[in-house]
Amino acid sequence: MSTLVIVESPTKARTIRNYLPSDYRVEASMGHVRDLPSSADEIPPEVKGTKWAQFGVNVEADFEPLYIIPKEKEKTVKQLKDALKEADELVLATDEDREGESISWHLLQVLKPKVPIKRMVFHEITKEAIRDALKHCRTIDEQVVRAQETRRILDRLVGYTLSPLLWKKIARGLSAGRVQSVAVRLLVNRERQRLAFRQGTYWDLKATLEKDKNPFEARLITLRGIKVATGSDFDESTGQIAAGRNVVLLSEADALALQERLTGKTWTVANIEERPITRKPAPPFTTSTLQQEANRKLGLSAKDTMRTAQSLYEQGYITYMRTDSVHLSEQAIAAARSCVEQMYGKEYLSPKARQYSTKSKGAQEAHEAIRPAGSSFRTPQETGLKDREFRLYDLIWKRTVATQMADSRQTLISVEIQVEDAGFRSSGKRINFPGYLRAYVEGSDDPNAAIEDQEVILPPLKVGDHPNCTELEAIGHETQPPARYTEASLVKTLESEGIGRPSTYASIISTIVDRGYAQMNGNALVPTFTAFAVTGLLEKYFPDLVDTGFTSRMEQTLDDIATGGVDWLPYLRKFYQGEEGLETQVKVRESQIDATEARTIALEGIDAKIRIGKFGPYVEAENGDGVVTASIPKDLTPADINPEQVETILRQKTEGPEKLGIHPETGEPIYILLGSYGHYIQLGDAQEGSKKKPKRAGIPKNTKVEDVTLEMALGLLALPRTLGVHPDTGGKIQAALGPYGPYVVHDQGKEGGKDYRSLKATDDVLTITLERALELLSQPKAGRGGSRSKTKEALRELGNHPEDGEPINIYDGPYGPYIKHGKTNASIPEGESVEAVTLEKALELLAAKASTAKSTKSSSKSSKSTTAKKSTTSKAKTTKTAASKTTTKTTATKKKTS
DNA sequence: CAGTGAGCGAGCTTCCGCTTGACTT
């Protein structure tokens, strides 16, 4: 007698294996095992050529889906089939959500078991929970499966009808979809707001006051009893004060005059207000909030966050990282509370256990919140984790522990000070009891809001006091356009609208960047010309599909299908077929849409036409005797193109390149040209009809075109520059400019190959010395983004071998986890968990195995990645001293109680 | 890398959501 249990992830399989009797075999399906064919080569020959083959859905036969097993899943399916042969019972234990239910159903279709089957669901991975779940199995819920299938078909219909329309009307290879097109539209809409934004300017006064030698600051709030205008009083589209606002707008002259008039006058405290407030800790992490916070606090991309979290999960440090639930298990709450008591003391404990409920739309809650794993939490220091993994675990640990901490109690203090007819205000904040702030402060997307939760001390004041004014500054402000989306804020918006799922947030961003809809500019997502063209078309002809409400309405229907309230077939028919159906709509639109118009982007202030062509965006303009076209450089976006640039691009095309000077030796002209990859330098003219291209050289990224001198151009054209020879090897050392920027290279001869190092920002490829090059070459290679792509991550590090000091680690292999010491590998015996292996035990196992080779030297430490602290500077100008205020992001306090 | 912005015209591009492959220790 044996039972085969199938779960979705191998890590989960490994864990629950330990909680089940020995005659239970646990295997993983690795997610879905079947899907619609994704591309032409997956379409079976028998349906190829039919009208509906490209969909993989037979729209003429009640939307019958054509399921195939993708190539990469064949191996998994075979393993599951083999495992099933030896079982006399099958338990399907995939996640309890729509996709999980569907995976179980597909497994049944593929495996065709002849033994009894059961559907089991569990929400906590503990021995009790799993044993209990095993006793309460059910059958597969066919209606939930239908809901999933409907979702799958609908997404396919949307994606595979709209995308071809874009190929015909705008450019080949483009894509549209229920999720990505809304995401792109969000970016485009924000960029339109930014383009329509008109800056407003206002001035105010800042006073530095003193009471009993304690200085504090106050801001001008009212004048003659009327509120002084600030940024929020402006209309973003005009740069003027919004209609209906009763405010005084101060110009620079007004502010300076007032400053003059108030100097030397008596300041009087008119009113003091104290208001107590309490603040509650943020809920524990979901995928979305983890990505947001890791982006804000650690500067990680959504992808990096997920990669790191996956590794922590596989090593048993955290619970599952793809979840939309903020639910904490009893076990987790108890563990967090015990952490609070031990590390911060009883007074910091929340009086009652705090449980959060999920608010986001369409949450399916198949898992717990993301938290430290286990029934007692390892502190970050105890884990022995390093770098990125440490920092992410630390973040998760703090956030989770903070949820069970007491509220923070604070007092807001507002002091009004009158001088003549001007009212000033000073705001203070007292933290009476920090509570959860001791462990965790949530980050913010707005750098100006980051000072929240910091104490602002005011001296003791009472009404009627006359504080002394030591300085009075007039400060100018400019209103700022709405900020671009970052990965974090886009994920936040998508999640709150119920668009996308935890497993897809990171890939949505990759998709829109890969398809050329957006570029990363620092932390900001900037939409491209293509994004403008595509969004324009979709909004005009398919407004419902790119509306943020489309997904929530679909989700509602899917829920109704799952509970039996709605029939899936009429829903799909109405969506796709008939007069109003998508199929007809696309056909009708296809004849209506003018392709030239669709690929043209109108931007305010730009007279030339901007179009999307086969090779990317280009400008087109009338020019006396015809039409001129010229490519727009790749990194230029609608946001930063201006009439001058358009003119330069076109002029260069018609009048030839700008001449920088003449080469002193050859007498050839040197030009600066603008290509699709940016500016470059060219020596001599291109020969008509000749295959030979003139010598060209790029301009380093951090150099502005205007700053390029003839001397610099000569230097760049002369690259690669030989610096000398290496004192040890005699190999040649050169400096040059490559596709990834400036570098130095050491030619170590035939045997050694070439050793490359990138230059640092402070180095100049034209002037770098041999000494500096040798210094760079002596340092270890930086590696890409700190990830060790080639070397495998250890599951656990046990310590060093007592004899040779070499590290002993546990890695994951195809036959389960194994212990590695130098070149000796030993499997962990069946039934023993990775966590349970001690160094002593490992030495035993290695000794038993080590009848063959002895280890050789192999040790290299990974390089450290540095994180820059972010800071923002206000745009303030002042008449007296430069009043630049710096606010730094608040980070979680790291203090420990003794 | 450093152009181009027709046509010929077969076959192809494309969606969203689940999940990690790999090696012969």
Side-chain angles (χ1 to χ4, degrees), chain A residues 455-669:
Chain A
E455 204 157 33
V456 183
I457 305 288
L458 296 182
L461 292 163
K462 57 183 189 302
V463 174
D465 277 354
H466 299 297
N468 188 26
C469 178
T470 58
E471 194 179 15
L472 188 59
E473 292 174 275
I475 299 178
H477 306 269
E478 285 165 343
T479 58
Q480 297 300 314
R484 287 200 176 107
Y485 280 100
T486 62
E487 286 198 9
S489 60
L490 183 64
V491 166
K492 186 178 178 179
T493 306
L494 291 174
E495 191 208 21
S496 72
E497 297 290 345
I499 299 167
R501 302 280 315 136
S503 65
T504 61
Y505 295 135
S507 59
I508 293 167
I509 291 160
S510 307
T511 300
I512 62 181
V513 171
D514 292 348
R515 296 266 174 273
Y517 290 133
Q519 290 175 5
M520 289 303 299
N521 181 1
N523 213 8
L525 284 159
V526 189
T528 60
F529 290 101
T530 312
F532 270 66
V534 168
T535 298
L537 186 149
L538 293 176
E539 276 176 336
K540 191 166 172 195
Y541 297 101
F542 304 94
D544 292 347
L545 293 181
V546 287
D547 187 83
T548 48
F550 179 77
T551 291
S552 12
R553 290 193 293 274
M554 178 198 78
E555 286 288 344
Q556 183 57 55
T557 310
L558 295 180
D559 284 349
D560 293 343
I561 293 171
T563 51
V566 167
D567 264 355
W568 64 276
L569 186 55
Y571 173 65
L572 280 182
R573 278 197 180 131
K574 183 161 183 287
F575 178 77
Y576 190 70
Q577 289 159 338
E579 194 77 351
E580 296 294 305
L582 185 61
E583 185 181 30
T584 319
Q585 289 299 309
V586 170
K587 243 179 228 149
V588 172
R589 300 310 190 193
E590 198 179 320
S591 58
Q592 290 174 344
I593 299 169
D594 176 65
T596 312
E597 196 187 308
R599 55 189 192 86
T600 304
I601 298 139
L603 287 176
E604 206 184 323
I606 310 266
D607 294 330
K609 300 224 163 44
I610 297 174
R611 296 195 204 280
I612 307 297
K614 274 195 278 186
F615 317 108
Y618 63 98
V619 286
E620 186 181 300
E622 292 291 333
N623 165 25
D625 42 28
V627 189
V628 201
T629 63
S631 264
I632 296 174
K634 278 201 167 42
D635 53 353
L636 220 54
T637 59
D640 38 39
I641 197 160
N642 56 47
E644 292 77 49
Q645 276 169 316
V646 172
E647 205 190 316
T648 312
I649 294 169
L650 287 168
R651 193 181 54 227
Q652 186 189 294
K653 190 70 182 289
T654 48
E655 297 172 11
E658 186 186 339
K659 204 190 273 186
L660 189 69
I662 301 290
H663 195 284
E665 283 156 33
T666 68
E668 288 173 294

Side-chain angles (χ1 to χ4, degrees), chain A residues 282-285 328 332-333 335-337 340 356 369-372 377 393-405 440:
Chain A
F285 279 132
L328 288 175
I333 291 176
R337 293 182 73 82
V340 177
Y356 293 81
I370 303 170
R371 62 162 176 100
F377 297 165
Y393 180 82
D394 187 58
L395 201 64
I396 294 168
W397 184 88
K398 282 174 176 157
R399 176 99 164 200
T400 312
V401 167
T403 64
Q404 300 307 318
M405 291 177 74
Y440 189 88

Side-chain angles (χ1 to χ4, degrees), chain A residues 277-307:
Chain A
I277 55 162
T278 59
R279 296 225 178 269
K280 291 186 192 318
F285 279 132
T286 59
T287 305
S288 145
T289 51
L290 179 69
Q291 288 177 7
Q292 291 166 41
E293 281 286 87
N295 186 253
R296 293 192 280 238
K297 289 188 172 169
L298 310 180
L300 295 182
S301 69
K303 223 181 206 172
D304 287 339
T305 301
M306 292 315 282
R307 215 194 333 259

